[in-house]
Amino acid sequence: KRYHRMIERACEYINQHYTNEDISLNDVAAYVNFSPSHFSSVFSRETGKSFIRYLTDLRMNKARELLKCTDLRCSDISIAVGYKDPHYFSYIFKKIHNCSPTQYRTSKTQS
C-alpha cells in the first residue's frame, strides 16, 4: 500500500511514453523521485514484473492491437510502439509470441 501512488504514477508515465524508444528505468525513477535501484526493486515487487518486462509487455500488447486492427506495415507498427529497428521488434515479438508479426496478423484475420 505504501508505494501504491508511486507505482500508479510510474505506470501512467510509462503508458504515456512507451512509444519513445529511449524511455528508461532512470527516466521513470526520476519522474517519481526515486533512485533507480530503489525504484527498480519497489516496481518489481509491487507489479510482479521488472521494469523492462512491464515495458515490453505493454509494447507487445499495443503491437498486437495494431496488427489486428490496422493495415499498417510491420515497420510502422514497430516505430509506433517504441522500436526504431523493425528487425529487433520482429525478434522480440517472435520470442514472446512464437510467431512473426506477419504470421500473427494472418492468423488473427483468419479467425
Side-chain angles (χ1 to χ4, degrees):
K1 289 285 183 213
R2 178 174 158 203
Y3 295 112
H4 179 75
R5 183 68 190 122
M6 181 275 291
I7 293 298
E8 209 172 65
R9 287 184 63 229
C11 289
E12 286 169 11
Y13 183 88
I14 296 165
N15 289 335
Q16 291 168 0
H17 296 88
Y18 73 91
T19 59
N20 176 356
E21 185 192 32
D22 299 322
I23 187 175
S24 70
L25 181 136
N26 290 352
D27 297 334
V28 183
Y31 180 76
V32 294
N33 296 312
F34 271 63
S35 73
S37 61
H38 188 214
F39 172 74
S40 180
S41 67
V42 170
F43 189 86
S44 295
R45 188 175 63 239
E46 298 294 316
T47 64
K49 294 179 180 183
S50 68
F51 166 77
I52 200 66
R53 185 62 201 217
Y54 182 90
L55 178 62
T56 302
D57 287 351
L58 175 62
R59 286 174 166 171
M60 290 299 122
N61 289 340
K62 299 293 183 180
R64 285 196 316 272
E65 223 173 89
L66 292 171
L67 287 164
K68 280 192 277 190
C69 303
T70 72
D71 290 329
L72 287 172
R73 294 185 350 230
C74 289
S75 57
D76 295 329
I77 290 173
S78 162
I79 291 164
V81 299
Y83 293 101
K84 217 181 295 178
D85 179 353
H87 298 291
Y88 183 68
F89 164 70
S90 290
Y91 166 77
I92 295 294
F93 192 96
K94 191 167 191 169
K95 188 173 160 185
I96 291 173
H97 299 98
N98 296 316
C99 65
S100 72
T102 307
Q103 291 166 327
Y104 180 86
R105 173 178 273 159
T106 305
S107 73
K108 291 302 162 192
T109 54
Q110 291 173 351
S111 340

